């Protein structure tokens, strides 16, 4: 099935024990605590345009995006939890945002008030169009959730104004976002409003990017260095503006910008049936997945620049692997999945969600990783504990909006029928179709899919890429399956039942020999889950362990949610040697056991260190 | 033998095939090419104080130190090669330097002319006292080499002036060098001139450092970030000013500053028989050698800050390991060796010279490493080829002065007698004593020491720390040896002969289990040499090799100087796997051979990559 759409977020009720608890925590903790932080830090007050020197909480250029993502999350969550009593608060914030819009449509709490002379002056770095994009996404979510148009209309005015500033016409700036995001937001706005002009504006931003004369060329190297991990001299490839996007085939530069851009490119490619643009998306995706993606679905290995590294440069301890980058990859992959129906994209969506995204937030829902390293150790000087908040809080606020939407990643639909992409326990209801999925995914590969309504349509499901052996039964009879997206077109009866038995052995996964950092090491995986050995489960230095590949078995884990499976096994542990830094005495080993836990759940039992890739 | 002094550089004629070729190259290439660079880049012109806006080659705050080190090297080299015809050039430069001295004694080509208002204003970061130190060292060398006092007298005036600016007396700045070096230079000046006041000024700078109220505390964090590897916000521990030096027991901060400071501390401890200060030196040395030194004798593992890392933080690919830091460690260890007579210090001197220092310069003598990594690979974005010069050219110019002095590291002397610290082929002549050392060290442990003059004195030699089995013969009779610095007091006859047979097996060396990066790996060593596998000798990716510990043997190496021994052996090489970034297909291996070369000689056969620590 091609040309599907993700199911509307509230048409899939997630009911499993792995994803749903995170959605529940998002509702109970992540969203309200983020709203609170937005108030406390002045992010919401900023829309009052009343800050002056001497006051605390001076507004910042990307604060609007944080508030927008929280609003977006509140809107999605409101539909899932209609009795939360937060609607009033959400509407108040939205009213404040809308009231801050200037006469001409411009809306930015920083540049409208703090630095009005800089409006549209430092486009490569000032995040104005990025903030606009997130505000638009929030407005669309608010409209979808409530049917109210006040925010949407304001954002249409903003988009209309932006279209008077940017474009190829005489007198307009032939620029495009320095931090991409607006492209995909405009596509959403176009879909929500049915207005073609927003598609065209999005397409302009996509198409204009990287063309000659290059709008950003003259600001290359202009960014002051060293203000943080992301700060290196601005370069056109850092912002994926080094060549026209259709000519890009290698993922380079800032990984979050890349993921959002590629998502927007996919939206435009789909809208205009633009095969050249889609081909670029496919090439970029393949480049990421074949050369630049961590086994956890995280991307952006380079600390400096928060960017993609060279092919196969995937250091574990110094990984950047920003939470937002993994989210942006899931967004991109989900779009490609729905355009092409190719299950390889669903594999990446799943990999990212179950590993590199959920690792970014604590089970408590209020502590976050910016960087999702694959190995932490006591020698490093980096922060390796989840933090309550960040000055640059894109990651926490991304969870506010991503978690309530999780259901939409599980199912796709089209006029033809529906497809189960990720077989987590859930109930799908849309267009009169109602299907339930039961099972203990991702810990168990046995899935029971029950049709709870009658009707003729195509049902498809995914055989995950990690699964090499499976059986599928339709109403008790074994089905012969070709490919990894079996589909059945029939008049379904209430009570029809498809059973998936996805063999889910414990497996060791090896990196390509091109990945220097993983040579001689293996990652323990089972189903969609990557496992990590956490120091609290072994009480000795992780790097001294050499695991025995033949001894791995499932085990319960203390201190993690009931139902969590760990993986235990035997290992040789290098004995601690004496005080000498260097010695000719050959290492000795002792036989020990070890336990690994799902990577996304690490560091939920106090400060800890962790290692994904283990010597074997 | 304690309280020895290094032999005067020209009283040891180095005649071996390992060190001497480097000294020869220094004479033929390193020094003249550095002089040329100093002219070309304006470093010498700067002393004319004629630069103005619009001219090329704007002077820089630490240029004087480069010229000073080149002059120091020219002076030492002049004595070794009296017919080089460079004396006139040296004197011309010195005349220019001296002529640039201001009325009050101040001499700095940058601050006297470019930024006179900043004199002594940014002491923590502006390198004025550092430049002064190097100028003083150069002047002492010039005086020692030629007997001429013009430069020395000028530098005495500068030191006298400095003593009117800095000190504990009312109205003086209670400051001390931000980049240490002046301390040890003043000790040299004191020795050369016999003036006690320079000892006192040096002692002041050593003692005042890190006392409260802390002179540098208020500038903490003030340095603009990100202007290069060394630039992070200034902190007192970065400059070893976090506590009084006597209370320091852990090596922290910028490694070159540390090494120069510790050298000055050792000089002062010796001069004043200051046991507390010596104890601090011993603790700092032990902290380095037990927790923070690469197997190559390099120090300073942290890229950002060019500084010591946490204990056992010794990354190989991202090592900073600056050439100058290894030189400063050799300088510090050599002082400790001569004070204490403890051979552990000589072991470190030797380790640094034969590995982490000489790796910093090409065999051609005109290409340099700033960073001496222990592993380079094609994924990195760092510079991993030796460069012709650097804007910050401390490393090249350090070779200019270090290489001609190599002989002084080989022998120590005192009123009691002499000690052979490093048994490289050489001839010692001092105070009527003449001793020759013959052998093919470091490739062969058989050393013949012949007394070429008669006289009663103590002769001592070192049994290297790497040597666990040896035989010593005196005039053909096997001697019973206790300890690692056997000594003989006797009336030596011309023709007396000591034969050392130091067993020099190929050995694998393992790091402490505390070093994460070296776990499961071993370094191939023989005698004082650490070996590295270079990609040009194996033609496949180094990280795929797993060496067979039982198969190592000596082998000649193509393309390196005659007499160079490589080490070959069998290895298993992981077969290249297909295109998939991650796979469950277990690695397969093929049997191959490999060759390692002395680490200090790597990358002398074209651009290359290299690995010291190999999986076994």
């Amino acid at each position: 099935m091609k040309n599907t759409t993700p199911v509307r977020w509230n048409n899939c009720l997630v009911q499993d024990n792995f994803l749903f608890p995170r959605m529940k925590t998002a509702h109970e903790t992540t969203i309200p605590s983020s709203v609170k932080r937005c108030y406390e830090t002045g992010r919401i007050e900023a829309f009052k345009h009343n800050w002056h020197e001497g006051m605390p909480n001076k507004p910042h250029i990307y604060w609007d995006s944080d508030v927008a993502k929280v609003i977006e999350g509140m809107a999605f969550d409101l539909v899932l939890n209609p009795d939360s009593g937060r609607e009033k608060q959400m509407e108040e914030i939205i009213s404040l945002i809308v009231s801050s819009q200037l006469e001409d449509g411009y809306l930015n709490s920083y540049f409208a008030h703090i630095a009005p002379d800089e409006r549209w002056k430092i486009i490569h770095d000032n995040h104005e169009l990025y903030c606009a994009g997130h505000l638009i996404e929030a407005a669309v979510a608010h409209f979808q959730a409530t049917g109210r148009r006040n925010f949407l209309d304001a954002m249409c005015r903003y988009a209309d104004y932006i279209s008077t500033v940017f474009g190829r016409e005489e007198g307009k700036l032939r620029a495009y976002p320095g931090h991409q995001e607006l492209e995909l937001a405009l596509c959403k706005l176009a879909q929500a409003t049915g207005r073609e002009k927003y598609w065209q504006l999005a397409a302009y931003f996509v198409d204009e990017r990287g063309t000659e004369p290059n709008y950003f060329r003259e600001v290359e190297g202009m960014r002051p260095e060293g203000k943080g991990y992301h700060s290196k001299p601005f370069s056109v490839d850092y912002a994926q503006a080094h060549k026209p996007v259709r000519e890009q085939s290698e993922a380079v530069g800032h990984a979050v910008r890349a993921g959002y851009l590629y998502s927007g490119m996919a939206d435009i490619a789909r809208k205009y049936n633009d095969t050249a643009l889609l081909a670029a998306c496919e090439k970029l995706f393949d480049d990421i997945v074949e050369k630049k993606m961590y086994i956890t679905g995280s991307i952006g290995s380079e600390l400096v620049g928060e960017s993609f590294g060279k092919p196969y440069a995937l250091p574990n301890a110094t990984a950047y692997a920003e939470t937002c980058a993994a989210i942006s990859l899931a967004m991109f992959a989900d779009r490609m999945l729905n355009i092409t129906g190719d299950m390889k994209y669903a594999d990446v969506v799943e990999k990212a969600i179950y590993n590199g995204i959920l690792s970014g937030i604590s089970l408590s829902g209020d502590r976050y990783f910016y960087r999702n390293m694959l190995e932490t150790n006591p020698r490093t000087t980096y922060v390796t504990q989840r933090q309550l908040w960040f000055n640059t809080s894109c990651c926490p606020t991304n969870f506010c909006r991503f978690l309530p939407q999780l259901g939409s990643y599980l199912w796709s639909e089209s006029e033809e029928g529906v497809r189960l992409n990720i077989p987590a326990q859930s109930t799908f209801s849309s267009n009169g179709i109602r299907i339930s999925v039961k099972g203990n995914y991702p810990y168990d590969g046995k899935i029971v899919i029950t049709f709870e309504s009658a009707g003729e349509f195509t049902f498809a499901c995914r055989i995950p890429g990690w699964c090499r052996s499976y059986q599928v039964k339709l109403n008790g009879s074994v089905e012969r399956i070709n490919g990894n997206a079996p589909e059945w077109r029939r008049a379904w009866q209430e009570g029809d039942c498809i059973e998936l038995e996805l063999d889910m052995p414990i497996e060791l996964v090896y990196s390509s020999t091109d990945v220097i950092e993983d040579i001689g090491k293996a990652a323990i995986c089972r189903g969609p889950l990557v496992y990590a050995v956490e120091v609290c489960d072994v009480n000795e230095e992780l790097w001294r362990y050499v695991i025995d590949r033949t001894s791995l078995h499932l085990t319960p884990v203390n201190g993690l949610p009931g139902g969590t499976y760990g993986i235990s096994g035997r290992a040789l542990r290098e004995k601690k040697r004496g005080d000498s830094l260097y010695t000719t005495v050959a290492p000795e080993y002792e036989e020990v056991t070890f336990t690994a836990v799902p990577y996304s759940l690490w560091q939920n039992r106090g400060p800890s260190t962790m290692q994904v890739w283990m010597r074997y």
Side-chain angles (χ1 to χ4, degrees), chain A:
Chain A
M1 247 193 295
K2 296 185 181 189
N3 289 317
T4 55
T5 56
V7 66
R8 194 180 144 102
W9 79 98
N10 60 327
N11 284 350
C12 166
L13 289 185
V14 183
Q15 295 158 318
D16 73 335
N17 284 320
F18 197 88
L19 303 178
F20 181 67
R22 302 305 195 105
M23 299 175 71
K24 191 159 173 283
T25 310
H27 170 71
E28 291 170 357
T29 305
T30 312
I31 292 172
S33 69
S34 296
V35 171
K36 191 158 164 275
R37 296 269 176 200
C38 283
Y39 273 108
E40 286 170 358
T41 57
R43 279 167 165 77
I44 289 167
E45 186 79 7
F47 288 104
K48 294 186 183 164
H49 293 183
N50 61 359
W51 186 88
H52 56 79
E53 282 300 338
M55 281 174 70
N57 296 332
K58 182 176 180 182
H60 188 275
I61 57 168
Y62 40 69
W63 272 9
D64 291 5
S65 68
D66 293 327
V67 178
K69 281 189 284 183
V70 173
I71 293 291
E72 188 183 358
M74 288 177 95
F76 289 134
D77 182 63
L78 178 71
V79 180
L80 302 179
N81 300 280
D83 302 325
S84 64
R86 289 190 201 128
E87 192 165 357
K88 185 163 165 285
Q89 186 180 46
M90 178 180 76
E91 295 298 345
E92 280 172 5
I93 300 171
I94 288 171
S95 293
L96 181 59
I97 294 171
V98 171
S99 74
S100 78
Q101 189 166 29
L102 303 188
E103 194 85 350
D104 59 6
Y106 187 72
L107 200 166
N108 185 301
S109 69
Y110 183 87
F111 290 99
H113 177 60
I114 305 293
D117 294 343
E118 289 179 30
R119 191 198 291 194
W120 308 133
K121 286 290 192 300
I122 307 176
I123 291 164
H124 70 289
D125 216 19
N126 270 355
H127 292 66
E128 280 167 289
L129 294 172
Y130 170 78
C131 286
H134 276 303
L135 285 166
I136 288 169
E137 280 204 272
V140 171
H142 175 248
F143 169 67
Q144 290 175 331
T146 66
R148 286 191 281 273
R149 301 191 65 102
N150 56 325
F151 196 9
L152 190 73
D153 288 344
M155 288 306 100
C156 287
R157 285 196 299 279
Y158 194 7
D160 294 343
Y161 162 68
I162 288 171
S163 73
T164 67
V165 176
F166 294 89
R168 293 194 189 85
E169 297 79 8
E170 188 70 28
K172 292 186 182 179
L173 299 173
R174 283 189 75 149
Y176 33 83
H179 192 312
Q180 304 91 312
E181 143 68 16
L182 179 59
E183 300 85 346
L184 73 89
L186 285 169
C187 295
K188 282 192 177 179
L189 187 64
Q191 277 174 314
T193 61
R195 294 182 197 164
E196 194 67 21
K197 62 179 175 178
Y198 300 135
W199 285 115
Q200 289 163 1
L201 184 57
Y204 158 75
F205 282 131
V206 164
D207 289 336
E208 186 65 17
R209 187 166 213 92
T211 57
E212 295 298 333
N214 192 302
Y215 192 85
F216 287 160
R217 187 76 68 189
E218 69 174 16
V219 293
E220 281 205 294
M222 298 257 304
R223 172 186 294 174
E225 288 181 52
K227 292 257 184 72
Y229 292 145
H230 70 286
S231 292
K232 61 175 185 179
F234 185 87
S235 64
V236 291
D237 59 319
Y238 168 84
Q240 296 82 38
H242 53 299
K243 52 172 96 164
V245 297
R246 278 174 182 70
E247 296 171 21
Q248 297 187 23
S249 57
E250 293 179 17
V252 297
H254 189 269
V256 180
R257 291 166 205 239
Y260 288 163
L261 168 66
Y262 304 158
S263 297
M265 286 164 62
D267 287 338
I268 295 295
R270 177 178 184 148
K271 164 70 181 173
Y272 293 107
N273 202 15
D274 184 332
T275 52
L277 192 55
L278 187 66
C281 290
E282 287 170 341
K283 277 186 198 158
L284 290 164
F285 182 89
D286 289 347
D287 184 59
I288 292 172
V289 171
E290 289 167 11
K291 294 175 187 166
K292 296 170 183 169
M293 182 183 72
Y294 286 100
I295 193 170
T296 53
S298 288
I299 54 172
S301 60
E302 287 264 320
L303 194 59
V304 176
E306 305 181 331
S307 69
F308 288 105
K310 290 187 180 180
Y312 307 108
L314 292 165
N316 295 307
T318 61
Y320 194 73
E322 184 180 337
T323 300
C324 289
I327 288 175
S328 78
L329 177 61
M331 289 166 55
F332 174 40
D334 193 52
R335 282 162 169 78
M336 296 301 287
L337 163 68
N338 282 296
I339 295 171
T340 66
D342 190 331
M343 291 303 108
K344 75 177 181 183
Y345 297 111
D347 289 338
V348 168
V349 171
E350 181 180 79
K351 183 185 273 289
I353 292 175
Y354 281 83
N355 302 287
I357 294 175
L358 288 182
S359 65
I361 185 169
S362 64
L363 284 169
S364 63
D366 60 355
R367 288 183 174 268
Y368 311 92
F369 277 133
Y370 215 93
R371 296 176 54 194
N372 295 274
M373 293 165 270
L374 280 79
E375 177 179 329
T376 63
N377 67 57
R379 305 284 176 269
T380 182
T381 54
Y382 308 128
V383 172
T384 57
Q385 313 296 327
R386 288 192 190 87
Q387 304 291 305
L388 281 167
W389 188 249
F390 307 95
N391 286 332
T392 300
S393 59
C394 52
C395 297
T397 56
N398 233 340
F399 277 116
C400 290
R401 66 176 193 143
F402 184 76
L403 292 175
Q405 293 185 79
L406 270 177
S408 70
Y409 288 91
L410 270 49
W411 293 83
S412 292
E413 61 186 338
S414 72
E415 289 182 4
E416 201 184 330
V418 302
R419 182 179 60 236
L420 176 60
N421 300 316
I422 297 176
Q425 184 157 307
S426 61
T427 303
F428 172 95
S429 326
S430 179
N431 282 323
I433 299 173
R434 185 179 162 90
I435 303 171
S436 78
V437 177
K438 293 221 176 333
N440 190 25
Y441 198 79
Y443 293 116
D444 189 351
K446 189 166 167 54
I447 317 287
V448 179
I449 301 158
T450 307
F451 293 77
E452 300 186 345
S453 62
E456 186 178 344
F457 60 90
T458 299
F459 173 84
C461 65
R462 159 175 164 260
I463 306 296
W466 53 260
C467 180
R468 269 168 295 283
S469 162
Y470 54 85
Q471 196 177 60
V472 182
K473 290 183 191 165
L474 172 57
N475 291 332
S477 305
V478 174
E479 294 280 288
R480 184 179 174 141
I481 303 297
N482 289 316
N484 53 12
E487 56 181 60
W488 297 263
R489 174 95 199 169
R490 44 185 279 164
W492 298 95
Q493 303 300 313
E494 202 177 318
D496 277 352
C497 174
I498 290 175
E499 291 162 274
L500 301 182
E501 290 205 30
L502 309 172
D503 286 349
M504 196 182 269
I506 298 168
E507 293 191 300
L508 288 192
V509 175
Y510 309 91
S511 287
S512 160
T513 47
D514 288 310
V515 182
I516 300 175
E517 287 79 3
D518 300 340
I519 200 89
K521 296 178 181 173
I524 302 164
C525 296
R526 181 167 179 266
L529 298 182
V530 176
Y531 278 71
V533 184
E534 205 176 347
V535 75
C536 58
D537 291 313
V538 294
N539 291 317
E540 290 281 353
E541 297 154 340
L542 298 170
W543 58 88
R544 287 164 48 210
Y545 285 73
V546 181
I547 64 173
D548 174 353
R549 293 185 278 184
T550 66
S551 67
L552 305 176
H553 57 274
L554 292 180
T555 184
V557 190
N558 289 331
L560 288 177
T564 300
Y565 282 105
I567 295 175
S568 279
R570 290 190 303 273
L572 292 176
R573 186 171 62 205
E574 200 164 319
K575 285 187 187 171
K576 246 185 146 35
R577 285 189 293 279
D579 288 338
S580 179
L581 185 51
Y582 302 109
T583 176
T584 53
V585 178
E588 294 182 357
Y589 296 87
E590 51 202 334
E591 283 197 28
V592 294
T593 59
F594 76 96
T595 298
V597 300
Y599 170 76
S600 66
L601 301 181
W602 90 275
Q603 205 183 90
N604 276 295
R605 294 169 290 172
S608 182
T609 60
M610 167 278 304
Q611 199 170 307
V612 168
W613 292 97
M614 298 293 292
R615 291 190 292 150
Y616 58 81

